[in-house]
């Protein structure tokens, strides 16, 4: 009889301190996850190829040539669906912003309360599971509108077409491809500036303001394109 595949989500703990790593692995296994642990970037790369994870808990400061930022980039380039939570003793806002810019979904400072970390894990896994669903079709629901990715059009649910500038479409497309993930202002500007150049630092904020006026039910209280403090903006798909 063939052995049944373990259906529990696989979580990899990247932590060079053995006691902390093993304690967290035990905690995750007790809470119905299948946890593995590694102590370096090289070991993570080998394990990911052999046993792809649903989520990686990634220590920011690691010995050797690679830190958590480099590993987050590697994981995100490999898969958009893999959840990434950075664990670090640093409470520096700059580290948090850089971590999110390199592809992390969340950032938890040590020491952390295990139950609080567990809640963050569940939230990231829910978002990662919904990411593929958000872009499986050619049309993505965004606030009171539908973004037609094939026709490059924005259509209100009432049926009227809403005019879009090229830069606005590119922004909406980026958001649709990265639901529930904070996207930094600098990255958004660099990725879309070839479409619509504006010679001041707050260009993205102006574009977001214009987009909100088109897609939000109440632009003054946006629920679709949300501001993430110290990070940038995030597209949150509607629950209905």
């Amino acid at each position: 009889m063939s052995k049944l595949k373990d259906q529990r989500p696989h979580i990899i703990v990247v932590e060079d301190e053995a006691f902390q790593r093993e304690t967290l692995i035990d905690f995750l296994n007790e809470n119905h996850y299948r946890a593995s642990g590694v102590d370096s970037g090289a070991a993570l790369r080998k394990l990911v190829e052999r046993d792809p994870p649903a989520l990686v808990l990634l220590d920011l400061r690691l010995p050797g040539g690679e830190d958590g930022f480099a590993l987050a980039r590697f994981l995100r380039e490999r898969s958009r669906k893999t959840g990434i939570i950075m664990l670090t003793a640093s409470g520096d806002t700059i580290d948090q912003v850089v971590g999110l810019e390199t592809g992390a979904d969340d950032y938890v400072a040590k020491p952390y309360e295990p139950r609080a970390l567990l809640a963050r894990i569940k939230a990231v896994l829910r978002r990662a599971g919904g990411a593929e669903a958000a872009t499986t079709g050619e049309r993505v629901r965004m606030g009171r509108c539908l973004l037609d990715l094939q026709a490059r059009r924005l259509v209100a649910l009432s049926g009227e077409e809403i005019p879009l500038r090229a830069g606005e479409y590119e922004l909406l497309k980026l958001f649709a491809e990265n639901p529930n993930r904070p996207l930094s202002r600098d990255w958004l500007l660099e990725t879309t500036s070839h479409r619509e150049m504006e010679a001041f630092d707050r260009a993205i904020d102006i574009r977001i303001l214009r987009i909100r006026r088109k897609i939000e039910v109440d632009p003054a209280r946006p629920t679709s394109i949300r501001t993430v403090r110290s990070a940038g903006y995030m597209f949150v798909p509607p629950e209905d």
Side-chain angles (χ1 to χ4, degrees):
M1 181 180 294
S2 61
K3 185 178 179 180
L4 293 176
K5 183 179 179 181
D6 193 330
Q7 297 297 317
R8 295 176 298 169
H10 180 210
I11 296 178
I12 299 177
V13 178
V14 186
E15 167 64 65
D16 63 304
E17 207 288 316
F19 178 77
Q20 291 186 29
R21 183 175 65 249
E22 294 304 321
T23 299
L24 186 50
I25 288 172
D26 289 344
F27 174 75
L28 293 170
N29 285 329
E30 290 169 1
N31 283 276
H32 313 296
Y33 295 102
R34 180 171 62 89
S36 306
V38 295
D39 62 359
S40 67
L44 172 66
R45 288 172 180 270
K46 291 179 181 178
L47 180 55
V48 164
E49 294 301 325
R50 187 173 70 250
D51 191 358
L55 183 142
V56 177
L57 295 173
L58 185 57
D59 190 20
L60 182 58
R61 308 300 178 194
L62 292 168
E66 289 185 302
D67 61 13
F69 297 134
L71 293 175
R73 292 188 191 96
F74 155 71
L75 291 166
R76 187 54 65 228
E77 289 170 0
R78 189 179 184 279
S79 172
R80 188 171 61 85
K81 294 197 299 178
T82 302
I84 304 172
I85 298 179
M86 285 190 167
L87 304 177
T88 175
S90 172
D92 193 328
T93 301
I94 298 299
D95 279 351
Q96 296 180 31
V97 172
V98 174
L100 293 171
E101 288 179 347
T102 54
D105 297 287
D106 206 346
Y107 188 107
V108 178
K110 300 176 183 178
Y112 50 80
E113 202 283 316
R115 290 290 165 185
L117 175 61
L118 187 63
R120 306 282 273 272
I121 290 171
K122 290 178 179 178
V124 169
L125 287 174
R126 281 197 302 270
R127 295 199 298 263
E132 185 176 16
T135 56
T136 50
E138 293 296 335
R139 300 202 298 175
V140 181
R141 169 80 180 276
M142 307 186 89
R144 66 182 189 89
C145 299
L146 288 173
L147 180 67
D148 190 322
L149 296 171
Q150 187 172 31
R152 298 172 64 93
R153 297 191 311 155
L154 185 67
V155 181
L157 296 179
S158 59
E160 63 179 303
E161 183 171 351
I162 299 174
L164 281 179
R165 300 185 184 192
E168 292 170 356
Y169 170 77
E170 293 298 326
L171 273 178
L172 288 174
K173 182 173 182 290
L174 286 174
F175 283 125
E177 292 171 345
N178 296 276
N180 297 303
R181 177 164 295 132
L183 305 178
S184 75
R185 287 178 174 85
D186 288 345
W187 185 78
L188 289 170
L189 184 61
E190 290 172 3
T191 307
T192 61
S193 60
H194 65 289
R195 296 282 184 177
E196 184 183 350
M197 291 297 292
E198 295 182 61
F200 51 90
D201 292 341
R202 309 306 287 180
I204 287 296
D205 297 321
I206 299 301
R207 294 185 206 174
I208 294 295
L209 180 61
R210 291 200 301 253
I211 286 173
R212 282 171 169 168
R213 289 171 178 165
K214 295 178 179 183
I215 71 171
E216 298 285 358
V217 174
D218 183 356
R221 297 177 177 82
T223 59
S224 186
I225 306 297
R226 301 185 186 181
T227 301
V228 181
R229 186 177 179 184
S230 300
Y233 296 100
M234 179 170 67
F235 165 51
V236 180
E239 295 182 357
D240 57 345

